[in-house]
Amino acid sequence: MLGYIVQRILAAIPVMGFVALFVFLLLRLTPGDPAAIIAGDTATPAQLAAIRERLGLTDPIHIQFFNWISDLLRGDFGVSIISGQPVITMIAGRLEPTISLALTTITLSIIIAVPLGVIAAWKQGTIIDRLVMAISVVGFSVPIFVIGYVMIQIFSMQLGWLPVQGFRSITEGVGPFAQRILLPTLSLTLLYIALIARITRTSMLEILNEDYVRTAHAKGLTETRVLMRHALRNCAVPIVTVIGIGFALIISGVVVTESVFNLPGVGRLTVDAVLARDYPVIQAVILLASLVYVVVNLLIDIAYVFLDPRIRYQ
């Protein structure tokens, strides 16, 4: 197992290198000039040239890339072009809202989606099954920002139950934290409920047709025990896979959700950085998001060993 983990970590190095190169070239080759944003509309060509020189944007692209990679290897993510603050400090200050939203979303999604998928498979072809599949279709079809604005209109504007926007740390109290995080969580959760419930239903349908499930029924075991111990337990691998992928995808989903609900998280920081052409911030955020994908995939593979004893890594 240890050798496999080391191999996966080593294999992730060229992947992260390719991501770094792609992001760097994409930002440099697309239209937009950070110097023009910093200097304003009334800046003279001489002022723009001076700003580009100060930011190092006049160096050849390969020199800029080499300098950036050298700083990364020393743990230096650079300094924001716009604010002048260290990028790692800016990201660290925005992590709590993003992590809170991601954890509450994936937790609520699992609690709701897995039982829904199990029930839909158990009641295949009934009105319950069709209802669960209808919810899944809605979750996949409706954009997150539309769901967010609808919830704001209903629960904030009309009913007045929850605040429209903002974030409160859990250190300020569970109540204020829950009030601020509930609407963003519900908006983002619908998509992942649809994803996890469909995979759970499909996996359960395959397992329910196996001989050992029929044998369990023939022994007189209760329906609940058959579903939970014999069926759900044996389709845990694809369910855990999609949960892990869903958790990684949440990192991209929070960009829209945090913008809708004005949460001061990494997603909102990314939007602001893109609009301002703040190269160091954008590069650091994308690299960290890619690292999350790599780590989550590694954890999923390790979890397979504990979920299915037949799986062994040499």
Side-chain angles (χ1 to χ4, degrees):
M1 173 65 77
L2 180 60
Y4 173 77
I5 295 175
V6 172
Q7 289 179 1
R8 286 293 301 270
I9 294 174
L10 293 177
I13 295 176
V15 173
M16 296 300 297
F18 175 79
V19 171
L21 178 61
F22 177 78
V23 171
F24 182 87
L25 293 177
L26 181 66
L27 292 175
R28 292 321 191 271
L29 299 178
T30 52
D33 187 359
I37 297 174
I38 295 173
D41 297 333
T42 59
T44 63
Q47 291 173 328
L48 292 175
I51 293 174
R52 295 190 190 101
E53 180 71 26
R54 176 170 59 85
L55 297 177
L57 300 178
T58 57
D59 295 335
I61 289 183
H62 68 279
I63 297 298
Q64 295 183 44
F65 181 73
F66 177 79
N67 293 335
W68 177 54
I69 291 296
S70 300
D71 292 337
L72 280 181
L73 294 177
R74 295 195 302 269
D76 182 6
F77 285 83
V79 177
S80 169
I81 292 176
I82 305 301
S83 68
Q85 296 179 337
V87 172
I88 195 66
T89 302
M90 296 176 64
I91 294 176
R94 302 290 192 102
L95 280 178
E96 185 181 0
T98 299
I99 293 176
S100 300
L101 180 58
L103 291 178
T104 53
T105 297
I106 200 66
T107 302
L108 186 61
S109 299
I110 294 171
I111 292 173
I112 297 175
V114 173
L116 281 180
V118 172
I119 294 172
W122 178 36
K123 299 294 186 179
Q124 182 186 11
T126 65
I127 186 65
I128 297 176
D129 183 23
R130 295 190 182 95
L131 181 60
V132 172
M133 290 301 97
I135 295 173
S136 298
V137 171
V138 172
F140 279 119
S141 303
V142 181
I144 295 176
F145 71 89
V146 173
I147 298 173
Y149 285 129
V150 169
M151 289 192 172
I152 288 174
Q153 178 65 30
I154 296 174
F155 296 104
S156 297
M157 306 300 293
Q158 295 183 359
L159 299 177
W161 291 352
L162 297 169
V164 175
Q165 58 186 6
F167 176 78
R168 291 288 185 89
S169 173
I170 197 170
T171 57
E172 301 178 35
V174 176
F177 168 78
Q179 282 185 327
R180 300 283 179 173
I181 204 69
L182 184 57
L183 277 185
T185 298
L186 292 176
S187 302
L188 196 55
T189 295
L190 186 57
L191 171 62
Y192 297 100
I193 287 177
L195 177 63
I196 297 172
R198 288 182 70 92
I199 295 298
T200 303
R201 176 184 179 273
T202 302
S203 302
M204 286 288 293
L205 288 176
E206 295 178 359
I207 297 297
L208 289 176
N209 293 322
E210 295 291 338
D211 292 337
Y212 61 82
V213 174
R214 298 191 187 97
T215 302
H217 280 296
K219 289 180 178 180
L221 298 180
T222 62
E223 195 68 37
T224 301
R225 189 167 184 177
V226 172
L227 289 173
M228 302 305 295
R229 293 197 60 181
H230 293 270
L232 183 59
R233 185 176 180 180
N234 284 281
C235 63
V237 169
I239 296 174
V240 169
T241 301
V242 77
I243 289 174
I245 295 173
F247 184 79
L249 291 175
I250 287 176
I251 303 301
S252 59
V254 296
V255 174
V256 176
T257 308
E258 289 181 0
S259 298
V260 171
F261 291 94
N262 196 26
L263 298 179
V266 177
R268 185 59 186 269
L269 175 65
T270 304
V271 173
D272 295 339
V274 170
L275 294 176
R277 304 291 297 181
D278 199 340
Y279 294 153
V281 175
I282 301 172
Q283 291 167 173
V285 169
I286 295 178
L287 277 181
L288 291 177
S290 302
L291 182 61
V292 169
Y293 272 80
V294 171
V295 172
V296 168
N297 284 326
L298 177 58
L299 293 177
I300 291 172
D301 288 345
I302 295 174
Y304 289 164
V305 176
F306 301 97
L307 295 173
D308 190 341
R310 296 170 298 179
I311 297 177
R312 287 290 182 269
Y313 297 123
Q314 301 298 330

